[in-house]
Amino acid sequence: TLDLKVQIATNERGKQMAVQLVRQMGMERVQQSIEDLLSYTRRRLQNRVRDIADGRSSATAYLDEDGLGGDPVAIRATVEVKGDRLHIDFAGSGPQARGAMNVARSALRATVYYVVKTLLDPELMPNSGFFDAIEIEAPLGTIVNPKFPGAVGARSITCNKVARSIFSAFAGLLAPERAMGAGHDSVPTMVFSGERRNRGTFVYLETIGGGAGALADRDGMDCIQVHMTNTSNLPAEALEYEYPLIVDEYALIEDSGGAGTYRGGAGIARQVRAVTDGIVFSVRSDGHILGAPGVFGGKEGRTARLVRNFGRPDQEEMHSKATLVALKPGESMRLETGGGAGYGPPDKRPLNLLAADIRGGKVSVAAAIRDYGNERIAAALKA
């Protein structure tokens, strides 16, 4: 309710300021200023597109499945540059999902605009002048353009894979230093519900970050939301005070970032335990089957996983979209999110960064030897 009130108040304030501006400048000058602004944005983006050599590049990202099981689902993007025009086509993407993984048209467009702005001109104003320079094509009946009444409730997960496919396609058109390894590219969501200590029922929902992909000159960020998503990142103390839940662990996952000249970011482990009867758990996640792919020789980030009663004799690995799981007191659910992918060949990683990884607990000695070689690790720790 508060969110809606803030949006309404913001619109009301904007209306008042617009009226004041018209009274100050006159309607004709205000309208011309708006047109000038849109025209400037359009020309500036067209100039950024014109800077890229004409060409065409395709890439495919994959969802683990369509929300109700089955085989991985392709998200294929083809980026074509011709003069000052940018055309992005999603032909070859998988069929409309049975589950809620489909992408509404507005969400598809928002994802495309985000990637283009990020890669070509991060400071560019997002207005319809920006939109006019980009053509988007998505076949009807695919997961990126579903027929009614295709469910779209989990579209944020798919949008992250759409972003991955477009970023990867652009890597074939832009200079190598502008590419990056894939991130965990998901919106892993944990939901707990039940009775709230004699204060009615509760629903606790949290989206969990993961590893970002490495860049040409730096490691990927650890434990971060990527692309178009965010999180409340509720502190353990606040969660335990409000709900009959205990946070057993909230930590960086060792060895989750893909190796490379620059390493992918680490994923997150969040393990939450039920204190009382009647706690019900559901999750929507992805990247449990296929990890984030690296670029230019960088290695894949570690896959995500969901574990019930981690560390106990009855430990059980569960499906990435488990729903309505009834937890007994003392039972826990642990979500480990995916790591980011590496950039460049691992044998080029600077020794000081290798040493920092091991000493900081981000990479184990065994994994470092496997990915970078015994001699390089010995040299790094000796330095």
Side-chain angles (χ1 to χ4, degrees):
T1 303
L2 181 60
D3 283 350
L4 290 175
K5 288 180 178 179
V6 170
Q7 291 178 43
I8 292 169
T10 301
N11 287 332
E12 286 295 328
R13 178 58 178 156
K15 182 182 73 173
Q16 294 169 9
M17 295 180 71
V19 170
Q20 292 173 3
L21 188 63
V22 170
R23 287 173 178 167
Q24 178 183 339
M25 298 180 60
M27 179 62 76
E28 185 176 343
R29 290 180 63 193
V30 168
Q31 290 179 326
Q32 184 59 54
S33 296
I34 292 172
E35 289 302 316
D36 290 345
L37 187 63
L38 299 180
S39 178
Y40 169 79
T41 301
R42 185 183 307 108
R43 292 196 312 272
R44 179 163 153 174
L45 179 58
Q46 288 172 337
N47 288 338
R48 298 293 84 78
V49 174
R50 194 180 289 110
D51 289 340
I52 307 170
D54 286 1
R56 180 185 177 94
S57 178
S58 299
T60 305
Y62 292 90
L63 289 163
D64 286 348
E65 32 82 18
D66 75 350
L68 291 179
D71 296 328
V73 180
I75 310 292
R76 183 169 180 81
T78 298
V79 178
E80 183 176 15
V81 174
K82 190 171 184 180
D84 62 3
R85 299 298 300 172
L86 184 62
H87 183 261
I88 299 178
D89 187 359
F90 292 92
S93 295
Q96 182 168 329
R98 298 169 297 163
M101 310 297 289
N102 297 294
V103 178
R105 183 72 173 176
S106 58
L108 179 68
R109 296 177 71 88
T111 305
V112 170
Y113 300 147
Y114 151 75
V115 175
V116 172
K117 180 172 161 53
T118 298
L119 283 174
L120 301 189
D121 197 337
E123 303 302 321
L124 189 62
M125 292 173 285
N127 57 46
S128 62
F130 177 96
F131 308 152
D132 291 345
I134 306 170
E135 297 175 7
I136 302 171
E137 190 170 348
L140 184 63
T142 61
I143 194 168
V144 292
N145 187 15
K147 296 178 181 178
F148 182 84
V152 297
R155 63 190 176 278
S156 293
I157 291 177
T158 311
C159 284
N160 275 270
K161 296 300 190 296
V162 171
R164 175 185 288 182
S165 68
I166 304 171
F167 274 115
S168 298
F170 264 110
L173 298 172
L174 300 175
E177 61 269 18
R178 296 174 70 180
M180 69 176 185
H184 70 104
D185 298 347
S186 182
V187 193
T189 305
M190 305 173 75
V191 185
F192 293 83
S193 62
E195 293 291 332
R196 192 176 183 180
R197 293 171 181 160
N198 300 318
R199 291 186 290 151
T201 56
F202 77 90
V203 176
Y204 158 61
L205 181 151
E206 183 82 90
T207 62
I208 314 298
L215 303 174
D217 60 352
R218 73 195 75 172
D219 292 342
M221 294 181 70
D222 301 315
C223 309
I224 191 74
Q225 293 284 352
V226 297
H227 304 318
M228 301 77 58
T229 58
N230 55 34
T231 181
S232 63
N233 192 25
L234 185 64
E237 297 84 356
L239 184 155
E240 294 174 354
Y241 178 79
E242 290 289 335
Y243 311 121
L245 302 169
I246 296 292
V247 179
D248 288 333
E249 186 172 6
Y250 191 27
L252 173 154
I253 304 173
E254 186 179 58
D255 298 334
S256 54
T261 304
Y262 289 99
R263 175 185 46 75
I268 294 175
R270 190 162 176 98
Q271 182 171 323
V272 180
R273 176 164 40 99
V275 174
T276 62
D277 277 318
I279 302 299
V280 177
F281 171 83
S282 296
V283 67
R284 270 180 176 162
S285 184
D286 203 73
H288 291 232
I289 297 174
L290 303 168
V295 289
F296 308 127
K299 294 196 173 184
E300 182 179 278
R302 207 199 78 165
T303 55
R305 67 174 185 156
L306 176 69
V307 183
R308 183 176 188 171
N309 297 329
F310 179 81
R312 292 180 13 172
D314 59 346
Q315 172 177 312
E316 176 189 6
E317 191 145 346
M318 303 191 71
H319 187 262
S320 63
K321 297 167 184 67
T323 58
L324 302 178
V325 180
L327 299 178
K328 298 176 182 178
E331 288 197 304
S332 67
M333 298 300 298
R334 177 187 181 90
L335 180 61
E336 297 182 358
T337 62
Y343 182 109
D347 60 6
K348 301 296 184 184
R349 185 159 177 79
L351 295 182
N352 65 312
L353 296 182
L354 279 175
D357 283 344
I358 295 170
R359 291 170 179 150
K362 295 183 179 181
V363 178
S364 67
V365 172
I369 291 173
R370 178 196 68 205
D371 293 331
Y372 300 101
N374 192 41
E375 291 183 5
R376 297 200 79 238
I377 298 306
L381 295 177
K382 185 182 297 184

